[in-house]
Amino acid sequence: MDTNIKKQIENFKKENDAVLLAHYYVGPEIQEVADRVGDSFYLAQVGQELDNKVILMAGVYFMGETLKILNPEKRIFMLNAKADCPMAHMVSHDKIRELREKYDDLKVVCYVNSGAETKALSDVCVTSSNSEKICKNLDTENIFFIPDENLGRYIAEKIPEKNIILNKDGYCPIHNGIDKKELEALKEAHPKAKVLAHPECRKEILDLADYIGSTKGIIKEVANFNTDEFIIVTVKRMAYELEKTYPDKKFYYLNSLVCPDMEMPKVEDILTCMQSEENEIHVDEEVAKKALRPLQKMLELGSR
Ligand code: 13P
Ligand code: SF4
């Protein structure tokens, strides 16, 4: 990147006491200048370690919203407030209330890819890096896992002793839409490659994987395989971190794996995002109060 722009960004952050956080799925030019890059769990955790008054978030809306709920004293700005994960809205609140009536011991486990109102109706939040551990340790038999049906099914198979009720309406349009034939063709072209997949994929895709985990899990797991070739079954933007961390290894990606919302934030937005009111995150006080509990529980149970 142009050193002039890099300098401008550095000065801007200093002047505003701001720190830039980015998810592994955003464009490489943003990851290059971000202060911290991580998966959803890390991005939720890291806010509490930072002293800065302002956080600029390069990712999708729920990530900024989660940070605001956990750090109400800080000002949180999305680089682009229109970048929103569609899955975050794919659960019926009436269904949550209905199931609470039906099962006395029901715990609602809410994937962080969800809106604040949904979190406020839940018992505990999870990310793909800790959902199995958290669900396993809940002192209840009946769990309603929202909003992602695929992640819920993957967890349910790992914990057969629990009755995990799935949300039929929730999925990631990108991971859920993967064409099995595209993956099979990639496997055939690179027979030595190990397949690393995100649990938001459908079961028939996960059945072809050698490892299933969060974005950070996938990056870490590369080091544990005795091979130099990998097929990455999650958003292609992971290439930046993977190729930086493992310059001697070869990675192959599925062409269809682009998240349009994660493409929305642009490097120029770093300098301008604080000018637009719509980019600053505000959460209704009552909703934030209720959503804080399940998020704090996730930080407590997920990092143990
Ligand atoms: P991670 O929690 O693995 O970073 O994934 C977030 C996400 O949006 C996956 O599509
Ligand atoms: Fe949401 Fe899917 Fe994009 Fe992740 S990849 S942010 S789950 S739409």
Side-chain angles (χ1 to χ4, degrees):
M1 183 189 294
D2 188 312
T3 46
N4 221 357
I5 299 183
K6 255 191 172 166
K7 229 188 173 93
Q8 273 185 50
I9 293 173
E10 279 318 309
N11 289 341
F12 177 81
K13 286 193 296 193
K14 248 185 231 144
E15 280 159 21
N16 291 287
D17 191 15
V19 62
L20 174 64
L21 306 185
H23 189 269
Y24 294 123
Y25 287 172
V26 300
E29 58 298 329
I30 300 179
Q31 294 192 49
E32 195 188 325
V33 292
D35 298 289
R36 310 283 180 98
V37 184
D39 68 353
S40 311
F41 185 55
Y42 174 76
L43 293 175
Q45 266 180 325
V46 74
Q48 296 179 340
E49 292 170 16
L50 299 167
D51 297 330
N52 309 72
K53 286 195 191 80
V54 172
I55 297 179
L56 310 179
M57 170 55 75
V60 285
Y61 200 84
F62 77 80
M63 295 173 174
E65 196 177 52
T66 295
L67 272 170
K68 182 67 187 175
I69 295 165
L70 286 163
N71 307 278
E73 74 293 351
K74 294 190 197 294
R75 295 186 76 191
I76 317 282
F77 292 86
M78 298 302 296
L79 254 54
N80 183 330
K82 291 191 178 70
D84 191 14
C85 171
M87 178 162 55
H89 310 285
M90 292 182 182
V91 64
S92 147
H93 292 177
D94 285 344
K95 180 85 186 168
I96 299 176
R97 292 183 192 104
E98 193 187 300
L99 286 170
R100 284 211 190 271
E101 291 270 303
K102 186 166 171 191
Y103 299 97
D104 283 346
D105 72 332
L106 190 81
K107 290 271 191 291
V108 178
V109 174
C110 183
Y111 189 31
V112 276
N113 294 44
S114 52
E117 283 85 359
T118 304
K119 290 183 175 82
L121 294 174
S122 305
D123 296 291
V124 61
C125 289
V126 295
T127 71
S128 50
S129 67
N130 54 38
S131 48
E132 185 185 340
K133 181 166 68 175
I134 292 181
C135 287
K136 205 178 181 127
N137 292 328
L138 283 181
D139 61 344
T140 186
E141 190 193 340
N142 295 300
I143 291 173
F144 184 28
F145 192 97
I146 55 170
D148 189 16
E149 182 183 14
N150 289 326
L151 177 60
R153 181 184 303 105
Y154 171 67
I155 297 302
E157 280 179 10
K158 298 229 162 207
I159 323 172
E161 67 275 22
K162 304 268 186 203
N163 175 35
I164 301 193
I165 303 158
L166 303 177
N167 171 42
K168 305 276 180 224
D169 307 321
Y171 59 91
C172 160
I174 319 307
H175 289 88
N176 193 64
I178 294 171
D179 179 0
K180 192 178 171 196
K181 288 201 189 78
E182 192 188 351
L183 176 56
E184 283 170 340
L186 209 54
K187 268 172 76 82
E188 221 171 283
H190 307 287
K192 285 201 213 114
K194 293 290 178 194
V195 177
L196 312 185
H198 197 279
E200 289 176 6
C201 301
R202 295 191 318 278
K203 180 173 162 49
E204 63 168 5
I205 301 294
L206 296 182
D207 285 345
L208 298 175
D210 298 293
Y211 170 80
I212 298 164
S214 72
T215 51
K216 190 175 185 178
I218 289 174
I219 293 162
K220 275 177 75 180
E221 193 63 19
V222 167
N224 297 331
F225 278 104
N226 194 15
T227 180
D228 291 331
E229 292 181 72
F230 297 88
I231 296 171
I232 302 300
V233 192
T234 192
V235 173
K236 279 182 349 184
R237 289 300 195 188
M238 290 274 284
Y240 179 75
E241 185 70 26
L242 282 166
E243 285 158 26
K244 194 172 77 171
T245 314
Y246 306 103
D248 299 330
K249 303 214 184 262
K250 197 112 194 65
F251 299 99
Y252 309 105
Y253 306 91
L254 276 84
N255 276 328
S256 55
L257 280 174
V258 175
C259 174
D261 286 274
M262 287 286 190
E263 293 294 311
M264 286 182 187
K266 303 287 179 214
V267 78
E268 309 82 75
D269 298 331
I270 300 168
L271 299 173
T272 57
C273 66
M274 287 179 73
Q275 290 163 13
S276 163
E277 271 181 37
E278 72 158 16
N279 288 332
E280 181 160 12
I281 307 247
H282 299 284
V283 185
D284 173 85
E285 220 173 289
E286 271 308 296
V287 173
K289 216 156 74 190
K290 288 185 185 147
L292 179 62
R293 237 177 335 111
L295 278 169
Q296 280 176 331
K297 225 166 173 185
M298 171 181 83
L299 295 184
E300 185 198 319
L301 302 173
S303 42
R304 264 187 206 162

